[in-house]
Amino acid sequence: MGTPATPGSAADTLRLQVNGQAHDVPAAPGTALLHVLRNDLELNGPKYGCGLGECGACTVLIDGVAARSCVIPVRAAVGREVTTLEGLGSRQCPGPTQQAFIDCQAAQCGYCLNGMIMTVEALLRRNPDPSEQELRNELHHNLCRCGTHVEILQAALRAARLRAQGVRP
Ligand code: FES
Ligand code: FES
């Protein structure tokens, strides 16, 4: 299912670079990046939670930096590298941050996990050896309605250890 154009705005063909691949996508430039990723590219790692930039469920990396794709217009991603959860690894070969969350079974419903994993990934890319407090600070604005925060923090700490050990997808 393609993303419907915003009423009153014409769809353009936009070239996006996502998970290392170029995609030409017809979309109104003001459409939220999240909708294009999910509806046009069928990348369902990023989730729709609040749609207001407040919960973190939709987090992706743009040029390696965590970004809330529900409030970023797709035009802002043109010419930049977008990475989604799918770009960190695969089911058969998870990346170290994904593996850490699997190892720690850090989920109940799992809806928040995309945002947690992508936020931890972004931090570890710029700071491979964060303190527990730095991890807490980074995750502070990601919401988990299930209250799985303790396990998520353990997973974040394990992700740092796995990366330090050189685990790669
Ligand atoms: S869905 Fe984007 S921050 Fe909540
Ligand atoms: S595990 Fe359910 S919202 Fe976090």
Side-chain angles (χ1 to χ4, degrees):
M1 180 180 73
T3 299
T6 304
S9 63
D12 295 336
T13 297
L14 305 175
R15 172 154 289 204
L16 298 179
Q17 190 75 17
V18 183
N19 298 336
Q21 290 189 337
H23 300 270
D24 291 320
V25 181
T31 303
L33 174 62
L34 174 64
H35 298 315
V36 173
L37 293 173
R38 289 181 58 87
N39 297 344
D40 295 274
L41 302 185
E42 299 182 354
L43 294 167
N44 294 314
K47 299 290 186 285
Y48 184 92
C50 63
L52 299 169
E54 294 181 353
C55 74
C58 63
T59 302
V60 300
L61 307 185
I62 299 182
D63 292 340
V65 177
R68 300 199 165 183
S69 63
C70 70
V71 290
I72 293 178
V74 64
R75 67 170 171 269
V78 173
R80 305 172 76 182
E81 176 64 38
V82 178
T83 305
T84 70
L85 185 67
E86 292 86 346
L88 301 191
S90 63
R91 185 182 295 267
Q92 295 74 23
C93 194
T97 306
Q98 294 168 318
Q99 186 63 55
F101 277 73
I102 295 167
D103 293 347
C104 294
Q105 290 291 287
Q108 288 191 39
C109 78
Y111 205 80
C112 68
L113 282 195
N114 171 75
M116 299 296 182
I117 291 170
M118 298 309 287
T119 300
V120 170
E121 177 78 17
L123 172 61
L124 295 179
R125 286 187 183 195
R126 69 175 193 274
N127 176 8
D129 188 23
S131 66
E132 179 175 327
Q133 190 58 50
E134 286 171 319
L135 284 163
R136 285 177 181 268
N137 292 345
E138 201 71 13
L139 292 169
H140 185 69
H141 296 289
N142 286 68
L143 303 184
C144 173
R145 64 186 175 181
C146 297
T148 319
H149 303 85
V150 172
E151 290 81 1
I152 288 169
L153 183 60
Q154 288 172 347
L157 289 163
R158 179 164 177 74
R161 286 198 301 276
L162 291 181
R163 290 179 76 97
Q165 292 166 9
V167 175
R168 291 287 177 270

